[in-house]
Amino acid sequence: MQIFIDSADAKELAALAGSGLVDGVTTNPSLVAKAGGDFFETLKAICAAVPGPVSAEVVAQDAEGMIAEGRKLRQTAENIVVKLPLTPEGLKACKALTAEGCPTNVTLCFSAMQALLAAKAGATYISPFLGRLDDIGADGMELIREIRAIYDNYGFDTQILAASIRSGAHVRDAALAGADCATLPPAVFKSLYKHALTDSGLEAFLKDWKATGQSIL
Ligand code: G3P
């Protein structure tokens, strides 16, 4: 599964990219507002720090405006993916941008029917929002399973990008459900390394090694 980071903080993203495990980045207008600074400068910095796909979202409401914004965003760097909302206008823009060879990420997906339409519009990625579905008492992970089955039934190559991830368990379950990618808040990414038995095991190994009085180098 590809691991993306859900953030617009260029400095933090550059640090996380140093792990060698980050395949891409997703941003949205709320994350850009939280990070502050000039949008295009931020995007350039992120795209330089992370060589994989970097999703940047349009804010126009009509297809024509989204296409124009998408083309401008795409000029920022060659790894930009244009992020579009799952609306009738968003899917029109998705179809047009896809025809131009522009990669797209259709966002704010909350149902399998929406995901089917996005695939038919040629989306490169579909972003189902797991956490926000769980927040309203629905089953976010079931949505991933439904989309996986539908895409496999018809051979759609749209990649499932599990979004609105809140925990390591979400990452595990999305991987088990066959999501192609997951976009993780930085704190969730860092939490994936952690296990108490790793910490205590390492402590014991180092203590025992020290007692031997030897060194490897
Ligand atoms: O980037 C879209 C998505 O991951 C947002 O997550 O936590 O705001 O529901 P969240």
Side-chain angles (χ1 to χ4, degrees), residues 13-180:
L13 287 165
L16 293 176
S19 69
L21 301 176
V22 175
D23 299 300
V25 173
T26 54
T27 68
N28 63 39
S30 301
L31 291 170
V32 169
K34 187 177 161 199
D38 178 80
F39 183 34
F40 285 94
E41 289 308 314
T42 299
L43 280 182
K44 278 182 201 157
I46 294 172
C47 288
V50 182
V54 174
S55 290
E57 191 159 340
V58 301
V59 290
Q61 302 289 300
D62 61 306
E64 201 181 327
M66 290 183 201
I67 293 165
E69 289 181 356
R71 286 177 182 149
K72 183 170 177 191
L73 289 169
R74 180 80 179 136
Q75 281 165 11
T76 312
E78 64 178 21
N79 48 334
I80 285 282
V81 172
V82 175
K83 204 170 178 189
L84 302 153
L86 211 156
T87 61
E89 292 298 301
L91 294 190
K92 270 189 219 168
C94 177
K95 193 151 192 177
L97 289 167
T98 299
E100 293 176 9
C102 172
T104 54
N105 175 358
V106 173
T107 188
L108 291 164
C109 172
F110 294 95
S111 80
M113 295 78 78
Q114 290 180 316
L116 173 61
L117 295 181
K120 287 180 71 69
T124 312
Y125 301 96
I126 182 69
S127 289
F129 276 31
L130 306 185
R132 292 193 194 186
L133 277 170
D134 290 354
D135 289 346
I136 60 161
D139 183 352
M141 212 52 67
E142 181 58 17
L143 176 58
I144 299 285
R145 288 189 282 269
E146 290 172 355
I147 299 172
R148 180 76 280 152
I150 291 168
Y151 284 6
D152 289 350
N153 281 349
Y154 295 98
F156 287 121
D157 56 11
T158 298
Q159 296 186 55
I160 303 173
L161 201 177
S164 190
I165 293 272
R166 301 280 161 76
S167 65
H170 262 164
V171 180
R172 176 197 63 208
D173 293 344
L176 287 169
D180 299 286

